[in-house]
Amino acid sequence: MGQRFGLELSDSLQTDCAPLNKMVHAVLDKVGPQVALLRDPTRGGLGTVLKEIADQSQVGIKVEETAIPIHAEVQSVCDILGYLANEGKVVLVVEPEVTDEVLQVLHGFEEGKEAVLIGKTLDKNIGKVGLQTAIGGVRLVDLLGEDQVPRIC
């Protein structure tokens, strides 16, 4: 995307495209039915995926903005270009009691070394996603809209 728009970007920016099948299979082998769902956030982004989950599963979701791992150089490029695809990630919703086990499995893979718990589902605020912001407020997250994140490749 940087090349398309004539931007000189740092060499530290690397593609995040990655095969996740072995990592996902390892999680399923470890905790199986305690994984409620898995989603690929590539095209709609994390916010859209979480909003779809909240709507389809009839739960509320609270996400901690400061828990979402975004590298500073990636944030800088997004500030310039807007939303970008993130093609090497997976969103997992698991039973709370297996969270630590799942994170331990994910951390055993290069693709999952930065995996973190970013939020939790709620029995209230059905269909809503609240982002607890770094400054203490809560912002509602909605679907990205008609223009999905552009494909890079």
Side-chain angles (χ1 to χ4, degrees), residues 52 88 137 152:
E52 289 172 349
I152 296 170

Side-chain angles (χ1 to χ4, degrees), residues 99-137:
T99 300
D100 290 338
E101 285 179 84
V102 170
L103 287 171
Q104 184 177 14
V105 171
L106 295 172
H107 293 158
F109 290 83
E110 180 64 25
E111 300 84 2
K113 69 182 180 187
E114 294 183 287
V116 293
L117 174 65
I118 63 167
K120 61 183 178 179
T121 60
L122 308 169
D123 292 331
K124 59 183 181 177
N125 299 322
I126 304 302
K128 298 199 181 326
V129 177
L131 180 71
Q132 182 76 47
T133 67
I135 60 170

Side-chain angles (χ1 to χ4, degrees), residues 43-45 47-49 51 83 141-150:
R43 293 305 303 277
T48 292
V49 164
K51 177 65 173 145
Y83 295 104
V141 176
D142 206 351
L143 300 173
L144 186 56
E146 295 295 319
D147 295 329
Q148 293 285 304
V149 176

Side-chain angles (χ1 to χ4, degrees), residues 62-124:
K62 181 180 179 186
V63 179
E64 298 291 332
E65 180 179 39
T66 58
I68 301 169
I70 302 173
H71 296 253
E73 55 271 338
V74 172
Q75 183 63 56
S76 296
V77 172
C78 288
D79 288 345
I80 296 168
L81 297 177
Y83 295 104
L84 296 175
N86 192 347
E87 297 186 352
K89 305 296 179 258
V90 62
V91 174
L92 293 101
V93 177
V94 303
E95 295 294 331
E97 63 269 13
V98 298
T99 300
D100 290 338
E101 285 179 84
V102 170
L103 287 171
Q104 184 177 14
V105 171
L106 295 172
H107 293 158
F109 290 83
E110 180 64 25
E111 300 84 2
K113 69 182 180 187
E114 294 183 287
V116 293
L117 174 65
I118 63 167
K120 61 183 178 179
T121 60
L122 308 169
D123 292 331
K124 59 183 181 177

